[in-house]
Amino acid sequence: MLNTAAALAMFWTMAFSGSGEPQPYDAVVAIETAAMETAAAAESSLDASALSAEQAELMAGDPDWRASARLYHAGGGGATGNDSLGCRPIAMRTVAVDPRVIPRRTKLFIRETVGLRMSDGTVHDGYWYASDTGGAIKGAKIDLYTGHGRGSMRQAMNLNMKTLTIADAGDFDGCPPAWETASN
């Protein structure tokens, strides 16, 4: 939180200097973008020693896919009911995919989500489950399910519209596991 506040203070100082001169739009946007990227990197940083052997191997290996990410949530026009396997979607675990690109029932390891600070204070381990599909998911696109309500997307907003690196971490049977047991 301190990094975000410091970045915002730097932005305001640079954008509205005491000279009274207007600042070029491009300069202000560049400063704001750099501040947001710095804050996002600080929030999602993870000590490499905290990774399991499997996570370290998946981080170091070549990705199996690169896909453009979108976020979706339940309620308010978002996802309702069960996923395409007939399972209840699990927040920050369920992924909607194009099954012609990424097969359903694939356990995915998404590098950019490792260390992502969750709303309850825990840290994401990078594992997701391809258990849903969607009409707008065509080709190298994925939808990350964030939970119930628009506010659930806040923790993953910096991933929206980004190209993510995804490794195949195996297959799963049945429904995606609950959060507490997903990385076991």
Side-chain angles (χ1 to χ4, degrees):
M1 188 66 164
L2 181 61
N3 289 335
T4 305
L8 198 55
M10 181 180 77
F11 164 72
W12 281 108
T13 302
M14 295 177 87
F16 301 106
S17 63
S19 68
E21 296 289 318
Q23 299 295 315
Y25 176 77
D26 293 341
V28 172
V29 169
I31 292 167
E32 184 178 49
T33 301
M36 287 190 313
E37 287 174 356
T38 301
E43 286 178 13
S44 67
S45 64
L46 181 69
D47 182 9
S49 65
L51 297 176
S52 70
E54 180 186 27
Q55 289 172 310
E57 182 179 329
L58 291 168
M59 288 288 274
D62 290 332
D64 295 295
W65 302 280
R66 293 187 189 282
S68 179
R70 308 294 187 273
L71 305 178
Y72 75 110
H73 62 89
T80 57
N82 295 337
D83 63 24
S84 67
L85 295 178
C87 303
R88 298 297 298 167
I90 306 295
M92 302 303 288
R93 289 290 188 208
T94 297
V95 178
V97 298
D98 180 343
R100 296 170 299 175
V101 177
I102 299 174
R104 286 186 316 155
R105 296 197 182 280
T106 302
K107 183 178 177 182
L108 306 173
F109 182 78
I110 302 176
R111 294 177 185 171
E112 291 81 0
T113 63
V114 174
L116 183 69
R117 183 74 50 196
M118 308 297 283
S119 59
D120 65 357
T122 60
V123 175
H124 203 289
D125 58 8
Y127 291 103
W128 295 77
Y129 297 83
S131 65
D132 204 1
T133 59
I137 310 298
K138 303 284 188 233
K141 291 183 182 176
I142 60 171
D143 271 6
L144 305 174
Y145 177 71
T146 59
H148 187 77
R150 186 176 203 106
S152 71
M153 297 192 307
R154 186 174 320 121
Q155 63 217 14
M157 194 56 78
N158 65 329
L159 301 173
N160 195 34
M161 307 294 283
K162 301 279 170 111
T163 299
L164 305 180
T165 51
I166 305 168
D168 185 340
D171 297 327
F172 67 95
D173 290 324
C175 293
W179 212 167
E180 297 79 30
T181 61
S183 60
N184 296 333

